[in-house]
Amino acid sequence: MANSSAPWIGCAYLFLQSTCKTIVLPSLYESSQKKPSVFKALKLALADSTGSINGVDMLKVHCSHPHLIVQLKFCKQENCRRFLQSYREGVLQESLQKHLQLSLAISAVPLEMELKAGSEHLDSMLKDEDRCLECIYREKPDRLRDEEITKLEECLKSLVVHRIINNNTAVKDGTSLNSPSLPGPSQGNSLSPQVTFTFQGQEFANRTLTPDDHQKFAKLVSKKWKQVGRSLQKNCRALRDPIIDNLALEYDREGLYEQAYQLLLRFRESEGQKATIARLIAALEENGLISLAEELLGLHSSED
């Protein structure tokens, strides 16, 4: 597809439209008050789709009523492949709807999506992943990142840093994190989930654990599932003693996979949106399970 010595770069356009008549995405984005919230939702959903905050780059957001059109740039084939899988399986749509709902503080944002590369409508060929990749690779970016996107990125980063500083100050001052002035996390958690986290010097988007993460963990963690459970236990009351030992006994006949699966199921059911990949990766690191952490973050593929 590409010369192995040349970087893999491709471009695509994501067309977004709300199916709710009262929610007009271009109008929201054109609003100076709502634009940062819409951008934040786009940024986080795209990060969810590739597993990395830098997995796909937004070059420009076009307002073309009734559509919001996002020009995307991919710099690695594997990131583009993950994006296509997320788009095809509806994960991106679900993630963007959720982030828009949270960012805009509204009840629901039903969306329709369409993906194009040049004149090719990729929705009709999503099952042929290699063909989609070829179409995206053929389309090279015709512009640098828009200045407005750069400013919105900087605003989002400043907001994250400001929130972390405020949270840390509240903890040091002994302020109750369940007070009205701060978001109230579930019992056992000290802070709201961070937007990004660092693993082996690389920044990743934080996100809620997925069924795919769940299955990979259960399949690969093997005998160390109890140690990982005890690491998660520190901030999850649902895993307090003797829960982990009880799981070991209850699912002894089913074997290690089922024991590990049930452990993470308890964690996800208890923590909800706060059952994040960052917390699981930290627990894996603490127990020396670096290879499994890399697998969950998609770092094992050598394909660019």
Side-chain angles (χ1 to χ4, degrees):
M1 180 182 296
N3 187 317
S4 58
S5 63
W8 197 99
I9 296 176
C11 189
Y13 289 86
L14 181 64
F15 289 71
L16 305 169
Q17 179 181 357
S18 172
T19 57
C20 177
K21 292 182 179 180
T22 59
I23 300 173
V24 184
L25 292 179
S27 297
L28 289 173
Y29 195 79
E30 287 169 342
S31 163
S32 59
Q33 290 183 322
K34 299 293 185 182
K35 180 176 290 187
S37 298
V38 177
F39 177 80
K40 177 184 175 183
L42 288 169
K43 184 72 176 176
L44 294 179
L46 290 170
D48 287 347
S49 73
T50 61
S52 170
I53 198 73
N54 299 314
V56 55
D57 195 14
M58 280 188 281
L59 297 182
K60 186 172 177 63
V61 177
H62 305 266
C63 294
S64 179
H65 291 260
H67 292 100
L68 199 64
I69 307 171
V70 187
Q71 186 177 3
L72 304 173
K73 175 186 175 183
F74 299 91
C75 292
K76 286 189 176 182
Q77 183 180 353
E78 187 57 33
N79 287 339
C80 189
R81 190 181 295 277
R82 288 196 200 104
F83 171 85
L84 286 170
Q85 291 169 352
S86 176
Y87 181 85
R88 182 181 68 240
E89 294 167 5
V91 176
L92 174 62
Q93 181 179 19
E94 182 180 340
S95 176
L96 183 53
Q97 289 176 161
K98 177 191 72 175
H99 285 303
L100 283 170
Q101 180 180 348
L102 292 172
S103 294
L104 297 169
I106 52 182
S107 58
V109 188
L111 292 176
E112 284 184 352
M113 292 185 169
E114 187 177 2
L115 189 62
K116 296 181 181 180
S119 60
E120 299 286 354
H121 293 250
L122 302 186
D123 293 73
S124 62
M125 60 178 86
L126 287 173
K127 291 183 179 179
D128 191 344
E129 200 170 274
D130 288 334
R131 186 182 172 195
C132 288
L133 286 168
E134 182 67 43
C135 291
I136 292 173
Y137 177 72
R138 282 202 305 265
E139 294 300 316
K140 302 304 180 189
D142 58 359
R143 63 181 301 125
L144 297 174
R145 181 193 287 187
D146 192 75
E147 287 184 10
E148 182 182 61
I149 298 293
T150 301
K151 290 178 182 177
L152 287 166
E153 290 261 13
E154 291 171 355
C155 288
L156 181 57
K157 288 178 182 177
S158 297
L159 180 64
V160 172
V161 171
H162 182 67
R163 187 179 69 180
I164 290 172
I165 291 172
N166 283 347
N167 282 342
N168 287 342
T169 301
V171 172
K172 289 177 183 176
D173 291 345
T175 306
S176 169
L177 289 173
N178 288 321
S179 65
S181 60
L182 288 168
S186 64
Q187 273 191 315
N189 283 343
S190 58
L191 296 174
S192 299
Q194 70 266 39
V195 175
T196 65
F197 67 98
T198 303
F199 174 73
Q200 295 186 331
Q202 186 174 345
E203 191 176 26
F204 293 89
N206 197 13
R207 55 178 173 77
T208 305
L209 291 170
T210 66
D212 187 52
D213 297 327
H214 198 154
Q215 291 177 0
K216 284 182 180 178
F217 171 81
K219 181 179 178 182
L220 300 172
V221 71
S222 191
K223 294 180 180 180
K224 284 199 170 183
W225 69 271
K226 291 178 73 173
Q227 289 95 312
V228 175
R230 299 202 189 285
S231 294
L232 292 172
Q233 179 189 68
K234 297 171 187 175
N235 293 308
C236 178
R237 297 185 65 183
L239 296 180
R240 68 187 185 278
D241 291 330
I243 295 295
I244 295 174
D245 290 333
N246 288 346
L247 288 175
L249 291 172
E250 186 176 352
Y251 296 96
D252 181 54
R253 294 182 65 181
E254 286 83 355
L256 293 171
Y257 176 91
E258 191 60 30
Q259 289 169 328
Y261 188 91
Q262 292 297 325
L263 171 82
L264 204 60
L265 181 62
R266 298 291 195 283
F267 178 67
R268 294 180 67 197
E269 288 180 341
S270 167
E271 299 298 290
Q273 293 294 318
K274 294 182 177 66
T276 62
I277 189 69
R279 293 175 69 184
L280 181 56
I281 294 299
L284 294 174
E285 278 192 284
E286 187 174 318
N287 292 281
L289 295 168
I290 302 302
S291 181
L292 176 49
E294 291 174 341
E295 180 70 32
L296 290 174
L297 294 174
L299 297 179
H300 274 175
S301 174
S302 60
E303 182 185 27
D304 286 333

